[in-house]
Amino acid sequence: MLIRERSPDDLEECVRVLGEVHHTDGYPANWPADPAGWLTRPGLIAAWVAVHDGHLIGHVGLSRPRPGHAAVALFTAGSGADGGVAMMSRLFVDPAARGLGAGTALAEHVVHEARARGLHAVLDVLDAEDSAAIALYERLGWRLLGRVPQHWGPRQVTVRCYAAPD
């Protein structure tokens, strides 16, 4: 499996795979009006894709956090750090390619890339709906910072906030 930086030419296939993930798992919880724009959101530092046998099978991004982001606030309060935090976001793997280790490879890659930039990766995930993602993060040693209510689009949700392993 190859993990490489996402190119503009990858976006159409990323959107197709994201559609499969949404249909199968309901991620993202609120389907964006502009999926390609959602993948290239403002604040994006970089994004990577997983490729297996010539097929794009997964995606992950690293972004600057929005002001007041819960995972960042919990991390900085708990660590005493006052900066150097980035969000791991938009991690998904094609349901047809699950079991190949793409989710693990992408998550580990983004942690490595964040560290290379002097940043510590944090994330949030829906508490009640993303049990497979939660299991992945916990298996990889991500530390639970807390559970926080948030508004995601039109609905109130509870998210789990995690920090990458030290």
Side-chain angles (χ1 to χ4, degrees):
M1 178 175 329
L2 170 69
I3 306 296
R4 63 168 172 77
E5 193 158 356
R6 186 188 76 200
S7 76
D9 293 340
D10 294 323
L11 272 177
E12 184 177 328
E13 186 63 7
C14 287
V15 168
R16 186 199 67 74
V17 172
L18 182 63
E20 293 294 324
V21 171
H22 181 72
H23 177 74
T24 302
D25 302 329
Y27 176 83
N30 301 312
W31 183 255
D34 175 14
W38 186 79
L39 291 172
T40 57
R41 66 183 218 127
L44 182 69
I45 296 168
W48 299 270
V49 293
V51 178
H52 179 73
D53 287 342
H55 299 284
L56 190 149
I57 62 168
H59 176 277
V60 70
L62 185 67
S63 301
R64 289 175 199 85
R66 296 179 313 273
H69 197 279
V72 174
L74 289 171
F75 178 76
T76 56
S79 69
D82 60 357
V85 180
M87 298 294 301
M88 181 172 88
S89 60
R90 313 313 197 232
L91 173 61
F92 56 89
V93 174
D94 189 331
R98 301 238 169 108
L100 297 174
T104 296
L106 287 163
E108 289 175 343
H109 187 83
V110 87
V111 170
H112 172 78
E113 289 289 338
R115 286 185 185 137
R117 291 168 166 80
L119 302 169
H120 195 102
V122 298
L123 64 86
D124 55 26
V125 61
L126 284 173
D127 188 37
E129 298 173 28
D130 288 336
S131 59
I134 290 166
L136 171 68
Y137 304 137
E138 291 183 355
R139 187 177 77 247
L140 294 176
W142 286 68
R143 180 172 43 95
L144 178 64
L145 301 169
R147 291 177 176 86
V148 179
Q150 291 198 328
H151 290 284
W152 280 17
R155 58 186 222 174
Q156 170 103 9
V157 298
T158 300
V159 297
R160 289 184 186 213
C161 299
Y162 286 91
D166 293 326

